[in-house]
Amino acid sequence: MPGTRNTGVLALGGIAVAALRTVIGHLEVNDDLNPWALTVSDFAVSDRGGVIDVAMVVLALATVSLLYGLRRTGPAQPGHAVEWLLGAWVSGLLLAALVPTNEPGTAMTTAAYVHRYASVVAFLALPAAGWLLARRPDLAPAARTLRALVVLSLALAVAMIWSAYPGDRLLIGLAERLLILTEVAVLATVALTQTRAADPPAGARPAARPVHVDHGVVVPRKRGVTV
Protein backbone atom coordinates (compact mmCIF):
# COMPACT_ATOMS: atom_id res chain seq x y z
CA MET A 1 0.00 0.00 0.00
CA PRO A 2 1.56 3.31 -1.06
CA GLY A 3 0.06 5.19 1.91
CA THR A 4 1.52 2.72 4.39
CA ARG A 5 4.90 2.86 2.66
CA ASN A 6 4.88 6.65 2.95
CA THR A 7 4.19 6.53 6.69
CA GLY A 8 7.08 4.12 7.11
CA VAL A 9 9.47 6.39 5.21
CA LEU A 10 8.28 9.40 7.20
CA ALA A 11 8.77 7.54 10.47
CA LEU A 12 12.28 6.43 9.49
CA GLY A 13 13.15 10.02 8.64
CA GLY A 14 11.89 11.18 12.04
CA ILE A 15 13.85 8.47 13.84
CA ALA A 16 17.03 9.46 11.99
CA VAL A 17 16.56 13.15 12.81
CA ALA A 18 15.89 12.34 16.48
CA ALA A 19 19.02 10.18 16.68
CA LEU A 20 21.17 12.87 15.05
CA ARG A 21 19.88 15.59 17.38
CA THR A 22 20.49 13.38 20.41
CA VAL A 23 24.11 12.84 19.39
CA ILE A 24 24.55 16.58 18.84
CA GLY A 25 23.00 17.23 22.25
CA HIS A 26 25.60 15.03 23.88
CA LEU A 27 28.46 16.76 22.08
CA GLU A 28 27.33 20.30 22.94
CA VAL A 29 26.95 19.93 26.71
CA ASN A 30 29.50 20.50 29.46
CA ASP A 31 32.48 18.17 29.15
CA ASP A 32 32.23 17.39 32.87
CA LEU A 33 29.06 15.33 32.33
CA ASN A 34 29.70 11.59 32.22
CA PRO A 35 27.40 9.73 29.80
CA TRP A 36 27.96 6.42 31.61
CA ALA A 37 26.92 7.78 35.00
CA LEU A 38 24.26 10.31 33.97
CA THR A 39 21.01 9.79 32.07
CA VAL A 40 19.95 11.44 28.84
CA SER A 41 17.60 13.60 30.91
CA ASP A 42 20.57 14.87 32.92
CA PHE A 43 22.17 15.99 29.66
CA ALA A 44 18.92 17.53 28.43
CA VAL A 45 18.32 19.58 31.59
CA SER A 46 21.66 21.30 31.10
CA ASP A 47 20.26 22.78 27.88
CA ARG A 48 16.51 23.24 28.41
CA GLY A 49 14.60 23.59 25.17
CA GLY A 50 17.64 22.34 23.30
CA VAL A 51 18.30 19.64 20.77
CA ILE A 52 17.60 16.63 23.00
CA ASP A 53 14.15 17.90 23.96
CA VAL A 54 13.35 18.51 20.30
CA ALA A 55 14.63 15.02 19.48
CA MET A 56 12.10 13.53 21.91
CA VAL A 57 9.26 15.46 20.27
CA VAL A 58 10.40 14.36 16.79
CA LEU A 59 10.52 10.72 17.94
CA ALA A 60 6.99 11.04 19.31
CA LEU A 61 5.77 12.42 15.98
CA ALA A 62 7.52 9.59 14.12
CA THR A 63 5.57 7.14 16.29
CA VAL A 64 2.32 8.90 15.40
CA SER A 65 3.18 8.37 11.73
CA LEU A 66 3.73 4.66 12.38
CA LEU A 67 0.43 4.43 14.22
CA TYR A 68 -1.37 6.04 11.30
CA GLY A 69 0.20 3.51 8.95
CA LEU A 70 -0.82 0.62 11.21
CA ARG A 71 -4.42 1.80 11.21
CA ARG A 72 -4.44 1.97 7.40
CA THR A 73 -3.48 -1.69 7.08
CA GLY A 74 -6.67 -2.86 8.75
CA PRO A 75 -8.44 -3.16 12.11
CA ALA A 76 -6.29 -2.89 15.21
CA GLN A 77 -4.99 -6.28 16.30
CA PRO A 78 -5.33 -7.43 19.00
CA GLY A 79 -8.12 -5.00 19.92
CA HIS A 80 -7.09 -1.42 20.58
CA ALA A 81 -4.31 -2.36 23.02
CA VAL A 82 -1.51 -1.46 20.60
CA GLU A 83 -2.98 1.98 19.96
CA TRP A 84 -3.29 2.67 23.68
CA LEU A 85 0.26 1.48 24.40
CA LEU A 86 1.78 3.50 21.57
CA GLY A 87 -0.29 6.45 22.75
CA ALA A 88 1.20 6.03 26.24
CA TRP A 89 4.71 5.96 24.71
CA VAL A 90 4.02 9.15 22.75
CA SER A 91 2.46 10.90 25.76
CA GLY A 92 5.35 9.88 28.00
CA LEU A 93 7.90 11.20 25.53
CA LEU A 94 6.12 14.53 25.11
CA LEU A 95 5.62 15.00 28.86
CA ALA A 96 9.25 14.13 29.58
CA ALA A 97 10.36 16.63 26.92
CA LEU A 98 8.18 19.43 28.32
CA VAL A 99 8.73 18.85 32.05
CA PRO A 100 12.39 19.02 33.12
CA THR A 101 14.12 16.76 35.58
CA ASN A 102 16.33 18.18 38.32
CA GLU A 103 19.92 19.27 37.82
CA PRO A 104 22.42 16.45 38.57
CA GLY A 105 23.28 16.37 42.26
CA THR A 106 20.26 18.42 43.41
CA ALA A 107 17.13 17.34 45.27
CA MET A 108 14.21 15.88 43.34
CA THR A 109 11.40 18.34 42.66
CA THR A 110 7.77 17.68 41.76
CA ALA A 111 8.60 18.35 38.11
CA ALA A 112 11.47 15.88 38.32
CA TYR A 113 9.14 13.16 39.62
CA VAL A 114 6.66 13.89 36.82
CA HIS A 115 9.52 13.62 34.33
CA ARG A 116 10.74 10.36 35.87
CA TYR A 117 7.42 8.56 35.88
CA ALA A 118 6.48 9.82 32.41
CA SER A 119 9.71 8.22 31.21
CA VAL A 120 8.94 4.99 33.08
CA VAL A 121 5.51 4.77 31.46
CA ALA A 122 7.05 5.33 28.02
CA PHE A 123 9.83 2.78 28.55
CA LEU A 124 7.36 0.08 29.65
CA ALA A 125 4.60 0.83 27.14
CA LEU A 126 6.72 0.47 24.00
CA PRO A 127 7.98 -3.09 24.68
CA ALA A 128 4.43 -4.20 25.45
CA ALA A 129 3.27 -2.64 22.18
CA GLY A 130 6.14 -4.29 20.33
CA TRP A 131 5.17 -7.73 21.62
CA LEU A 132 1.58 -7.27 20.45
CA LEU A 133 2.71 -5.84 17.11
CA ALA A 134 4.61 -9.06 16.46
CA ARG A 135 1.21 -10.81 16.31
CA ARG A 136 -0.09 -8.68 13.43
CA PRO A 137 -0.25 -10.46 10.06
CA ASP A 138 1.13 -7.42 8.21
CA LEU A 139 4.23 -7.45 10.45
CA ALA A 140 4.78 -11.21 10.29
CA PRO A 141 8.14 -10.87 8.43
CA ALA A 142 9.53 -8.90 11.39
CA ALA A 143 7.85 -10.87 14.20
CA ARG A 144 10.97 -12.68 15.42
CA THR A 145 13.03 -9.49 15.36
CA LEU A 146 10.37 -7.59 17.28
CA ARG A 147 10.13 -10.27 19.97
CA ALA A 148 13.91 -10.41 20.36
CA LEU A 149 14.12 -6.63 20.74
CA VAL A 150 11.30 -6.65 23.28
CA VAL A 151 13.00 -9.29 25.43
CA LEU A 152 16.29 -7.38 25.26
CA SER A 153 14.62 -4.09 26.17
CA LEU A 154 12.91 -5.65 29.19
CA ALA A 155 16.26 -7.06 30.36
CA LEU A 156 17.84 -3.61 30.02
CA ALA A 157 14.90 -2.03 31.86
CA VAL A 158 15.51 -4.42 34.77
CA ALA A 159 19.21 -3.51 34.71
CA MET A 160 18.35 0.19 34.79
CA ILE A 161 15.92 -0.27 37.71
CA TRP A 162 18.58 -2.18 39.62
CA SER A 163 21.10 0.57 38.96
CA ALA A 164 18.66 3.31 40.02
CA TYR A 165 17.92 1.75 43.40
CA PRO A 166 20.13 -0.97 44.95
CA GLY A 167 22.94 -0.42 42.45
CA ASP A 168 23.64 3.18 43.58
CA ARG A 169 23.25 4.39 39.93
CA LEU A 170 26.15 2.26 38.72
CA LEU A 171 26.42 2.72 34.94
CA ILE A 172 22.83 3.94 34.83
CA GLY A 173 23.64 6.15 31.86
CA LEU A 174 24.93 3.20 29.86
CA ALA A 175 21.92 1.04 30.75
CA GLU A 176 19.49 3.79 29.78
CA ARG A 177 21.16 4.52 26.46
CA LEU A 178 21.17 0.84 25.52
CA LEU A 179 17.50 0.65 26.51
CA ILE A 180 16.62 3.67 24.38
CA LEU A 181 18.58 2.26 21.43
CA THR A 182 16.75 -1.06 21.69
CA GLU A 183 13.31 0.51 21.95
CA VAL A 184 13.95 2.84 19.04
CA ALA A 185 15.01 -0.26 17.10
CA VAL A 186 11.50 -1.63 17.69
CA LEU A 187 10.04 1.45 16.02
CA ALA A 188 12.58 1.30 13.20
CA THR A 189 11.75 -2.36 12.55
CA VAL A 190 8.06 -1.57 12.20
CA ALA A 191 8.86 1.40 9.94
CA LEU A 192 11.11 -0.70 7.69
CA THR A 193 8.40 -3.32 7.36
CA GLN A 194 5.94 -0.63 6.34
CA THR A 195 8.29 0.69 3.66
CA ARG A 196 8.41 -2.79 2.14
CA ALA A 197 4.63 -3.05 1.83
CA ALA A 198 3.91 -4.64 -1.54
CA ASP A 199 2.13 -2.64 -4.21
CA PRO A 200 -0.02 -4.30 -6.90
CA PRO A 201 1.84 -4.71 -10.23
CA ALA A 202 1.57 -1.76 -12.59
CA GLY A 203 -1.32 -2.12 -14.99
CA ALA A 204 -2.74 -5.10 -13.14
CA ARG A 205 -6.45 -5.54 -13.63
CA PRO A 206 -8.69 -5.94 -10.63
CA ALA A 207 -9.78 -9.48 -9.96
CA ALA A 208 -12.85 -10.43 -11.93
CA ARG A 209 -15.99 -10.99 -9.94
CA PRO A 210 -17.12 -14.62 -9.94
CA VAL A 211 -19.95 -15.32 -12.37
CA HIS A 212 -22.75 -17.58 -11.22
CA VAL A 213 -23.74 -20.09 -13.86
CA ASP A 214 -27.07 -21.80 -13.59
CA HIS A 215 -26.58 -25.42 -14.60
CA GLY A 216 -30.28 -26.29 -14.35
CA VAL A 217 -31.89 -28.26 -17.15
CA VAL A 218 -34.15 -26.24 -19.40
CA VAL A 219 -37.31 -28.13 -20.28
CA PRO A 220 -38.98 -27.01 -23.53
CA ARG A 221 -42.59 -26.00 -23.07
CA LYS A 222 -45.12 -27.51 -25.44
CA ARG A 223 -47.94 -25.44 -26.77
CA GLY A 224 -50.97 -25.72 -24.58
CA VAL A 225 -49.09 -27.36 -21.72
CA THR A 226 -48.48 -25.38 -18.55
CA VAL A 227 -45.44 -26.37 -16.50
Side-chain angles (χ1 to χ4, degrees), residues 67-202:
L67 184 54
Y68 179 72
L70 291 170
R71 296 192 70 177
R72 285 180 58 90
T73 58
Q77 298 177 11
H80 294 284
V82 169
E83 293 183 2
W84 282 104
L85 288 168
L86 289 179
W89 157 260
V90 170
S91 300
L93 277 181
L94 293 176
L95 190 57
L98 296 174
V99 181
T101 188
N102 58 298
E103 291 280 354
T106 61
M108 291 283 290
T109 62
T110 301
Y113 279 110
V114 171
H115 178 95
R116 170 182 290 182
Y117 291 112
S119 301
V120 170
V121 168
F123 283 146
L124 294 180
L126 186 57
W131 188 265
L132 295 179
L133 285 170
R135 297 167 57 184
R136 288 177 59 107
D138 53 313
L139 296 178
R144 293 182 62 181
T145 301
L146 286 173
R147 292 191 181 100
L149 290 171
V150 166
V151 171
L152 180 56
S153 65
L154 291 176
L156 290 168
V158 171
M160 186 176 175
I161 292 172
W162 177 87
S163 178
Y165 295 101
D168 195 28
R169 296 180 67 85
L170 177 65
L171 295 179
I172 191 171
L174 176 61
E176 185 199 46
R177 284 163 177 80
L178 291 175
L179 174 60
I180 293 173
L181 182 63
T182 305
E183 297 205 353
V184 171
V186 171
L187 298 176
T189 299
V190 176
L192 281 171
T193 306
Q194 287 186 351
T195 62
R196 295 168 182 169
D199 293 331

